Amino acid sequence: MSRVPGWLGRLGAGLSEMSERYNERRAEAERERDDADSPTLADEHVPPPPDYAPDVPARPDPALAVPWGVRVAAEAGWRLLVLAGTLWVLMRVISAVQLVVLSFVIALLITAMLQPTVARLRHHGVPRGPATALTAILGFVVIGLIGWFVTWQVMENIDDLSNQIQDGIDELRNWLLNSPFHVTDKQINEIAKNLREAVGANTDQITSAGLEGVTVVVETLTGILLAVFSTLFLLYDGKRIWEWTLKLVPAAARPGVAGAGPAAWRTLTAYVRGTVIVALIDAIFIGLGIYFLDVPMAVPLAVFIFLFAFIPLVGAVVSGALAVVVALVTQGVFTAVMTLVVVLAVQQIEGHILQPFILGRAVRVHPLAVVLAVATGGMVAGIGGAVVAVPLVAVTNTVAGYLRSYSQNSALRHSVRPRGATAVSAEPGPKTPPQ
C-alpha cells in the first residue's frame, strides 16, 4: 500500500480539531439556555401549576371586546358632543355680538331686495356708484316714509281710538251681561279689580322697563346705522366681498362653496321679493276689508300687517289678532267676527295660492321647519331672530342640497373614465427617446 501524503493527514487532523471545538461551543450554549430557563432564587418558592390546571386563554384586545353597536354609538356620540360644543360656543359668540349680527343679516335682506334694481341700472349704462346711490336713497326714503306715516296716523287717531276703546269696553261689558254665558256684573268688576291690582303690583317692573327703553332706542339707532352702512357696501362691492370671503375657505372645498354662494343668493333674493309681494297683497286686501268695516286706524293696521308678514305663520296670526281686537273693542262683536272672516280668507288665499305661485320652487321649507325656526329665532334673538330664522333655514337648505349634488357629481366624474381608443392612462408611460 502506498503511504498517505503528509498534507492529507494534516487536513484530517485540522477537521477533527474544528469538529471538537464546534461540539464544545454547542454544549456551552445549551448549558446557558438551561440556566436561563431555570427558576431564579426569587421564584423558587412558587410551585409549578399542576398538570390538571386549565390553560388560561390570552386576553383579547379591549377594542375588540366591545360590541360593534356600542363602538359605533360611542364614535357617533363623541362627534355629536364636539358638534354640540362648537354650536354652543358659536351661539355664545353670536349672543355677545347680537346687534352686529342682526344688523348685517338685515342688511343682507335689504340688499337682496334692492340689488336687482342696481343690476337693471347697470344694464342701462349707469355707473356702479350712481346706481348704488340712487337705489339706496330710494329704498331708505321709502322705508322712512312708511315709518313716518305709521307714526303720524297713530298720533292723529290716538285720542279718538282711546274714546272708541272705552265705548267698546262698555259695549262689550253690556254684551257679556246679556249673553248666554251668564256673566254677572260682580264677576266683571272682579276681573277689572284683578287687572288694576296686577298693574299696581308691577309698577316697579313697568318703570324699569321704561328706563330700559332708552337703551333699546340707542341700540336700535346703532343697529339701523350698521344696517345702512352694510347695505351700501354690499350693494356697491358685494362681488369683491364674496371673492375675498372665498379666500378664507380651504382650497379643496373652494369650488363647491363658490358654486353654493350664487345658489344661496338666488334663494335669498327669491324669498325676500316673494315675501314683499305676499305681504303687500295681504296688507292691501285686509286693509281694504277693515276700512269698509269702519275699523279705526285701518291704514296703520295694514302697515302693521305688512311688517308682521315677514315673520312666517306667527306674524300673520299676531297681526290678524291685533286687527280683530281693535275691531272688537271699537265696533263690537259683529264687526270683529267680520274682520276675522276677512283675515282668514286672505290668509287662506295667501297660503294656498300666492306663496306657491310667487315663491315657487326657489324656497321650499317644510311648515314644521318654519315653525321650529321661528320659535328658535324668537327665543334666541327676539323679533329680529324670528324675522331672519326662515331665510336662514331656506339658504342653509339650498347650500346643503347644492353641496350634496356637487359631491355626487364630482365622485361620478372621478369614477367614470374613458375607454377605448380615446382612453388616456392615469400613469405616465415610459418616454420615447427622440429619433
Side-chain angles (χ1 to χ4, degrees):
M1 297 178 61
S2 60
R3 297 177 61 184
V4 178
W7 64 270
L8 187 60
R10 289 191 299 271
L11 178 62
L15 292 174
S16 300
E17 185 179 359
M18 289 177 62
S19 177
E20 291 175 358
R21 291 179 181 176
Y22 173 75
N23 291 332
E24 290 176 359
R25 290 182 179 179
R26 187 174 63 179
E28 183 179 357
E30 289 178 356
R31 285 195 301 270
E32 291 177 357
R33 185 170 62 251
D34 293 337
D35 293 338
D37 293 339
S38 61
T40 60
L41 295 176
D43 296 335
E44 288 180 355
H45 65 280
V46 179
D51 297 337
Y52 58 83
D55 294 334
V56 178
R59 292 184 178 181
D61 187 2
L64 299 178
V66 179
W68 180 82
V70 177
R71 279 187 285 166
V72 172
E75 293 284 340
W78 73 260
R79 286 177 170 83
L80 289 176
L81 287 176
V82 171
L83 291 176
T86 305
L87 182 62
W88 182 81
V89 172
L90 181 62
M91 295 302 297
R92 297 289 294 180
V93 172
I94 292 176
S95 299
V97 291
Q98 177 179 336
L99 180 62
V100 177
V101 174
L102 284 179
S103 300
F104 183 74
V105 174
I106 291 173
L108 281 176
L109 297 178
I110 298 175
T111 304
M113 183 173 56
L114 299 180
Q115 194 271 336
T117 305
V118 177
R120 290 191 186 95
L121 292 176
R122 293 290 308 278
H123 180 72
H124 287 84
V126 181
R128 181 172 57 180
T132 301
L134 289 174
T135 304
I137 291 173
L138 180 62
F140 291 131
V141 165
V142 170
I143 295 174
L145 287 177
I146 291 175
W148 170 80
F149 181 75
V150 172
T151 305
W152 173 63
Q153 285 290 314
V154 172
M155 296 302 296
E156 284 289 327
N157 296 279
I158 190 68
D159 295 332
D160 296 337
L161 180 62
S162 61
N163 295 330
Q164 291 179 354
I165 288 175
Q166 186 62 43
D167 296 338
I169 291 175
D170 294 336
E171 292 180 2
L172 181 62
R173 176 174 181 167
N174 295 330
W175 181 81
L176 289 174
L177 291 174
N178 299 323
S179 67
F181 298 109
H182 304 291
V183 179
T184 62
D185 194 8
K186 181 179 179 181
Q187 292 174 337
I188 295 176
N189 293 331
E190 189 68 24
I191 294 174
K193 179 181 178 182
N194 293 334
L195 289 176
R196 286 193 297 270
E197 291 178 353
V199 172
N202 296 295
T203 302
D204 295 337
Q205 288 80 356
I206 295 173
T207 304
S208 62
L211 294 176
E212 292 176 358
V214 178
T215 306
V216 172
V217 170
V218 174
E219 292 181 353
T220 302
L221 293 177
T222 305
I224 291 173
L225 292 177
L226 287 174
V228 169
F229 280 106
S230 301
T231 303
L232 290 175
F233 283 109
L234 289 173
L235 286 174
Y236 180 77
D237 217 10
K239 183 178 180 181
R240 284 193 288 184
I241 292 174
W242 170 245
E243 292 174 353
W244 177 83
T245 306
L246 283 178
K247 296 179 181 179
L248 304 178
V249 180
R254 197 169 296 166
V257 176
W265 184 252
R266 287 193 297 269
T267 298
L268 183 63
T269 304
Y271 173 83
V272 173
R273 295 169 65 182
T275 304
V276 168
I277 295 174
V278 171
L280 189 61
I281 293 174
D282 284 354
I284 291 174
F285 283 97
I286 295 178
L288 288 176
I290 60 179
Y291 175 78
F292 287 114
L293 290 172
D294 291 330
V295 178
M297 292 202 310
V299 176
L301 286 174
V303 175
F304 278 117
I305 291 171
F306 173 80
L307 296 177
F308 276 93
F310 285 90
I311 306 176
L313 298 180
V314 178
V317 174
V318 173
S319 60
L322 178 62
V324 172
V325 169
V326 173
L328 177 64
V329 298
T330 57
Q331 300 296 326
V333 178
F334 177 77
T335 304
V337 172
M338 296 304 298
T339 303
L340 179 62
V341 170
V342 172
V343 170
L344 292 179
V346 174
Q347 290 179 356
Q348 289 299 315
I349 295 174
E350 169 206 333
H352 294 86
I353 298 177
L354 295 180
Q355 286 189 355
F357 178 75
I358 295 175
L359 297 179
R361 295 182 177 271
V363 182
R364 302 192 67 178
V365 181
H366 196 275
L368 178 60
V370 172
V371 174
L372 295 178
V374 171
T376 304
M379 293 173 61
V380 172
I383 297 178
V387 171
V388 303
V390 176
L392 179 61
V393 171
V395 169
T396 304
N397 184 34
T398 300
V399 171
Y402 179 88
L403 293 178
R404 183 171 58 251
S405 300
Y406 177 83
S407 177
Q408 294 174 353
N409 294 334
S410 178
L412 185 62
R413 286 194 301 268
H414 286 83
S415 63
V416 177
R417 295 182 177 179
R419 297 180 179 180
T422 60
V424 178
S425 176
E427 298 180 357
K431 295 181 180 180
T432 303
Q435 300 294 331

